[in-house]
Amino acid sequence: MTTETVVSLSSATVTQTDAERLIIRYKSLFFGGILLLTALAVGFGFLQARQISERLIQDARAHADLLHKGLSDQLDVAREHVGGMRHALETVLGNPVFSSQGKLSGALIDMAQNAPKGAMWDTLPKVLRNKTGTLFSSSNARDFEAELDDVLWAAPLMWNAHMQHPEFQWSYYYDEAGDYSVLFPGLDFKDLSSAMGKTNMDEILRTIYAAGGTFPVQLVGPEKNPERKQVWTPPYPDAAAAGLMVSLLSPVYREDDFIGAYGADITLSVLNDLLSSDAVVGNIWVIAEDGDIVATSKPAKDAGTRISKLFEKQKSLSAEEVFDTSSGVLNIDSHGVWLTYSLEGTPWRMLLYISNGELRSTVLNLMTPYLATTILCVATMIGLVLLQHKRFTVPALQLARHVESLPQQLKINSPHVPGHWQALFGRANSTEQERRDAVHDLRNLNADLEVRVAERAKELTEANEELSKTVEELRETQDQLVKAEKLASLGALVAGVAHELNTPIGNALMMASSLADKNRIFQEAVQQPLNESTLTEFADMVDACSNVLLRSLGRADELVTSFKKIAIDQTSYKKRVFQLSDVIDEINITLGPTLKQANATVECDLEDGLELDSYPGPLGQVLLNLYNNALIHGLAENEGGQILVRARRLGDNLNLVVSDNGQGIEEENLNKVFDPFFTTKLGQGGSGLGLHIVYNFITDLLGGTIVAESTWGSGTRFTIDIPLTAPERKNVEI
């Protein structure tokens, strides 16, 4: 087996694995998508259920708020009614002038002829009794007619309250001693006797005063109610068979003496009606501290005859918890949701309770249509996905596997697929055949191309070698030109110094010649007798010539010494300590002739004592090149040109500024002045290397920076910043 065959089989194995991975990945995505769709539906269902639950709780709470207000309003009416009756009687008791001293009650008794014993008003005219109510008294009652007149001051209040609020079952007055009682609306003795199953008025009166075992007169008396507050009785069965009811009583005092109580009865059915709610969920109860259910929004069938307990309705919440919980705070526990309301002036609490079971059941009932629709939609979508999977996805995966396996098949064959996919498989087979033909042609072309590439590579290699050699030669040429430029500046100095030396040396030569002639004449004169005038003339001549010789030779010595220092520094880059003023003075002396010839002057503004540990030669070369650049380019056409040199210490650096008042540099050339071989005076004395050498010296050897600034027509300014102590460099000789 050849290497090519092994590689081909290996590729086939890898391609087959990739295709299988694609199918496995698709299956994962397919079933994952179905699960995700189902999960989304379920999750949305839970979300919807939660939202419905919250809305149901909000609705139930809103209904409870309204019912609480209605119930509180009704209880307030009862308190105002009972309080009004008490106020009327106590007002009369406090103002005896209002009392009729028994005249009214006596007149009423006289009008009631043949009345049953103990029911003195039973035979009063119906119209009158509708205003006064019914009077019941015991057989051994004291004389109470004067008191009764005072009690009747509240009769109009009773009548008015019952006209406006028919929910009041009874309004009445209890005598503290139990001798009599006034009941409104009026009730015939016969009806009362029949309802109680008693015929003796004393027994009937005792039953009325017992009020189902609540004994209301004792509840509001001074022993149990020293604060003289209004008191609600526990629920009890009405003696007149009106069903279960509660009573609100208010004590009446004559100064500090308890004399009786006014009261009003409300049946529990009335309170149940007040709590009737159309809320979908929740029960509303009015709970007493002992757990009795005073009223409910959903009364049972026996609600009119039996008092239920809170624990009978639900097991998770006790009456103590209801009364210990802050009013208006929504509470949630594992059994349900509940909320309490305080009922002012009563010993009761109103409770809204929604059990979790009721809430879940209601939510399920509300969501049943949605769940059915969702299940139908999900099932439909899954069916569509399965149909798409069978008719499109599976053939597509087969096509992908077929396309991947085609390069490894010796003979191109198509698998069995649905008819509408056969054209795609056929197109894939045609494309594979075209690819194989193209590969065959490409191999032939590659063989020729490899030969061409090898030949071209050889040619490029030879060309690169030639180019590298040329670049190296250019680099060497550039280095030689830079060195030549450096030495050329020395040549210019030599020419200037030679010209300047011509004058002092010529003067010295002329004085020496004159002195020799004068000496020859003096020698001839000494052969003869000397007179004083001849000797004095000779001495004056010698003195004058000596002075001229000394000045001329001193000037020549100064020029030669300065040139020697500059030449030595510029041809040997040695680091040493020097004064900046010395270097600048030497440059100015050496370039004096050149400056004089160009009609230019140099002004120096140097800080005292500027001492550097650096390279004086390169620094002098920098100044020399900047002077020459100013003379050649800036001041060539400027009469009375001026070069200004300014130096200051800035920390550990030297700030050196060289500026001129020449014509300046054009803006487009300002960024190119430090480039090698750039000059605007090509063929006119400019080599294009002067400022390039300056830039290299400043940024490399001297370790600083240089910036050129110029405006055309306004001169040029070079700002140099170099350290006072230059970085160490190896000595370099030109």
Side-chain angles (χ1 to χ4, degrees):
M1 182 181 292
T2 64
T3 302
E4 183 177 357
T5 304
V6 173
V7 172
S8 177
L9 290 177
S10 176
S11 300
T13 302
V14 173
T15 304
Q16 184 65 30
T17 302
D18 290 341
E20 292 298 330
R21 287 177 179 173
L22 177 63
I23 294 174
I24 292 173
R25 187 180 298 114
Y26 168 74
K27 288 181 179 179
S28 300
L29 291 174
F30 175 72
F31 291 108
I34 293 178
L35 291 175
L36 177 61
L37 187 62
T38 304
L40 287 174
V42 173
F44 185 73
F46 278 113
L47 178 62
Q48 189 73 10
R50 181 177 179 180
Q51 293 176 345
I52 292 175
S53 298
E54 292 176 352
R55 189 172 67 248
L56 288 173
I57 293 173
Q58 291 174 358
D59 291 346
R61 183 171 185 174
H63 280 89
D65 291 343
L66 293 175
L67 295 175
H68 173 254
K69 185 178 185 308
L71 179 60
S72 297
D73 291 345
Q74 180 59 46
L75 297 178
D76 289 343
V77 169
R79 287 199 301 273
E80 291 174 1
H81 171 48
V82 174
M85 292 189 293
R86 170 186 176 179
H87 177 70
L89 179 53
E90 288 184 344
T91 300
V92 175
L93 294 175
N95 298 275
V97 68
F98 294 136
S99 176
S100 58
Q101 301 297 324
K103 295 179 181 179
L104 178 60
S105 59
L108 291 174
I109 293 173
D110 291 341
M111 291 176 63
Q113 299 295 326
N114 302 319
K117 187 177 182 181
M120 301 176 183
W121 294 349
D122 203 45
T123 58
L124 284 176
K126 191 85 171 172
V127 175
L128 182 58
R129 198 170 59 163
N130 285 341
K131 299 292 191 345
T132 61
T134 301
L135 173 65
F136 301 110
S137 62
S138 64
S139 59
N140 57 349
R142 69 183 186 280
D143 183 10
F144 55 81
E145 291 183 4
E147 296 177 14
L148 185 59
D149 277 9
D150 296 339
V151 171
L152 288 176
W153 274 89
L157 298 178
M158 294 181 182
W159 178 85
N160 184 64
H162 282 263
M163 292 298 101
Q164 293 187 18
H165 303 284
E167 58 269 17
F168 287 130
Q169 182 67 28
W170 308 107
S171 295
Y172 44 82
Y173 175 77
Y174 283 136
D175 174 47
E176 183 273 337
D179 288 341
Y180 68 95
S181 175
V182 176
L183 179 67
F184 189 93
L187 182 64
D188 291 341
F189 173 76
K190 180 177 62 176
D191 295 336
L192 182 61
S193 175
S194 175
M196 291 187 179
K198 301 179 187 298
T199 58
N200 184 276
M201 179 54 70
D202 290 342
E203 293 181 359
I204 292 174
L205 201 58
R206 282 195 295 272
T207 302
I208 292 174
Y209 269 75
T214 62
F215 298 100
V217 175
Q218 298 177 17
L219 284 178
V220 297
E223 293 183 2
K224 294 186 178 181
N225 184 27
E227 297 87 1
R228 304 182 184 182
K229 295 181 180 179
Q230 293 182 351
V231 177
W232 286 92
T233 67
Y236 65 90
D238 181 34
L244 293 175
M245 63 176 55
V246 290
S247 299
L248 175 63
L249 296 112
S250 182
V252 179
Y253 282 80
R254 180 186 290 114
E255 295 181 352
D256 292 331
D257 296 329
F258 175 58
I259 64 171
Y262 278 108
D265 295 343
I266 301 176
T267 62
L268 299 191
S269 61
V270 170
L271 299 181
N272 292 340
D273 292 341
L274 290 173
L275 296 182
S276 178
S277 170
D278 57 355
V280 180
V281 295
N283 287 284
I284 299 176
W285 297 306
V286 175
I287 309 297
E289 292 185 7
D290 60 357
D292 285 349
I293 296 179
V294 178
T296 177
S297 60
K298 297 177 181 178
K301 293 181 179 180
D302 60 350
T305 59
R306 178 177 175 272
I307 300 172
S308 300
K309 292 287 187 179
L310 178 61
F311 69 84
E312 297 175 1
K313 302 300 181 180
Q314 54 79 41
K315 305 296 184 182
S316 62
L317 192 62
S318 66
E320 289 79 5
E321 290 179 275
V322 172
F323 280 85
D324 290 342
T325 303
S326 299
S327 176
V329 177
L330 188 66
N331 300 274
I332 301 175
D333 57 24
S334 59
H335 299 284
V337 179
W338 50 283
L339 178 70
T340 66
Y341 297 85
S342 62
L343 295 171
E344 185 179 356
T346 73
W348 310 321
R349 280 285 185 99
M350 190 178 106
L351 171 66
L352 167 64
Y353 184 83
I354 307 172
S355 68
N356 287 338
E358 180 188 13
L359 189 62
R360 284 193 292 267
S361 175
T362 304
V363 170
L364 182 60
N365 291 335
L366 293 175
M367 289 188 62
T368 297
Y370 161 77
L371 291 175
T373 304
T374 301
I375 292 172
L376 179 61
C377 291
V378 171
T380 303
M381 293 181 69
I382 292 175
L384 292 174
V385 169
L386 290 174
L387 179 63
Q388 185 269 347
H389 173 72
K390 180 179 180 181
R391 291 182 59 82
F392 297 98
T393 306
V394 172
L397 291 173
Q398 288 180 325
L399 178 60
R401 179 186 296 175
H402 178 66
V403 169
E404 287 184 349
S405 64
L406 278 176
Q408 287 76 42
Q409 295 181 10
L410 297 177
K411 184 177 180 181
I412 300 175
N413 292 315
S414 297
H416 177 71
V417 293
H420 59 280
W421 283 88
Q422 291 179 358
L424 292 175
F425 278 82
R427 190 180 305 167
N429 294 340
S430 301
T431 302
E432 173 60 20
Q433 186 61 51
E434 293 174 358
R435 187 194 68 81
R436 293 184 180 186
D437 295 340
V439 168
H440 181 268
D441 295 340
L442 185 60
R443 286 174 179 170
N444 294 334
L445 290 174
N446 284 341
D448 295 338
L449 184 60
E450 288 176 358
V451 175
R452 295 179 185 177
V453 168
E455 294 176 352
R456 184 59 178 165
K458 183 178 179 181
E459 294 175 359
L460 289 175
T461 301
E462 293 175 353
N464 284 337
E465 291 176 354
E466 290 291 333
L467 182 60
S468 298
K469 186 183 295 183
T470 301
V471 170
E472 184 62 30
E473 291 175 354
L474 287 174
R475 186 178 292 110
E476 292 177 357
T477 301
Q478 180 176 343
D479 292 341
Q480 292 173 1
L481 287 173
V482 170
K483 291 178 180 179
E485 176 66 17
K486 296 176 183 177
L487 294 176
S489 63
L490 288 177
L493 285 177
V494 170
V497 170
H499 180 272
E500 186 68 14
L501 285 173
N502 185 56
T503 299
I505 292 176
N507 290 338
L509 181 61
M510 183 178 66
M511 289 298 102
S513 176
S514 298
L515 186 59
D517 291 342
K518 200 65 175 175
N519 185 57
R520 180 177 51 78
I521 295 172
F522 180 74
Q523 290 292 336
E524 291 177 356
V526 297
Q527 299 299 326
Q528 302 294 329
L530 290 175
N531 55 33
E532 184 180 354
S533 60
T534 301
L535 183 59
T536 301
E537 181 182 356
F538 179 73
D540 292 339
M541 178 64 178
V542 169
D543 183 60
C545 290
S546 298
N547 289 333
V548 172
L549 282 171
L550 287 173
R551 286 197 303 272
S552 298
L553 293 177
R555 174 61 177 165
D557 179 67
E558 181 184 9
L559 289 172
V560 170
T561 300
S562 297
F563 175 73
K564 182 180 179 182
K565 287 182 179 179
I566 293 174
I568 291 173
D569 284 338
Q570 292 189 4
T571 55
S572 178
Y573 300 159
K574 293 183 179 180
K575 184 180 178 184
R576 64 182 176 86
V577 178
F578 61 93
Q579 293 290 326
L580 177 65
S581 59
D582 293 343
V583 173
I584 294 177
D585 289 344
E586 291 167 2
I587 294 296
N588 290 342
I589 291 172
T590 306
L591 282 182
T594 304
L595 294 168
K596 185 176 181 181
Q597 183 179 357
N599 196 23
T601 61
V602 177
E603 291 187 10
C604 296
D605 179 13
L606 310 179
E607 183 179 327
D608 294 337
L610 283 174
E611 185 177 82
L612 289 83
D613 182 9
S614 188
Y615 299 90
L619 183 56
Q621 181 73 54
V622 167
L623 291 170
L624 186 61
N625 286 10
L626 292 178
Y627 280 18
N628 285 332
N629 183 75
L631 294 172
I632 295 173
H633 298 279
L635 305 175
E637 300 178 0
N638 189 0
E639 290 293 334
Q642 186 182 59
I643 298 174
L644 175 62
V645 180
R646 180 180 178 275
R648 295 288 186 273
R649 181 196 304 271
L650 294 178
D652 294 332
N653 285 356
L654 169 67
N655 177 254
L656 182 63
V657 179
V658 180
S659 59
D660 63 65
N661 61 349
Q663 64 183 3
I665 303 172
E666 294 182 357
E667 184 178 357
E668 61 269 18
N669 296 330
L670 190 59
N671 292 330
K672 298 183 286 186
V673 294
F674 297 120
D675 294 345
F677 306 113
F678 175 77
T679 179
T680 58
K681 297 288 187 178
L682 187 62
Q684 303 176 34
S687 65
L689 292 172
L691 291 181
H692 178 63
I693 294 172
V694 168
Y695 182 82
N696 286 341
F697 275 156
I698 293 297
T699 59
D700 184 15
L701 188 61
L702 298 178
T705 61
I706 181 170
V707 177
E709 302 173 276
S710 180
T711 301
W712 181 251
S714 299
T716 303
R717 172 190 177 99
F718 292 93
T719 302
I720 300 170
D721 283 296
I722 59 174
L724 294 174
T725 300
E728 294 293 336
R729 297 284 191 274
K730 291 182 178 180
N731 290 336
V732 180
E733 298 290 339
I734 293 181

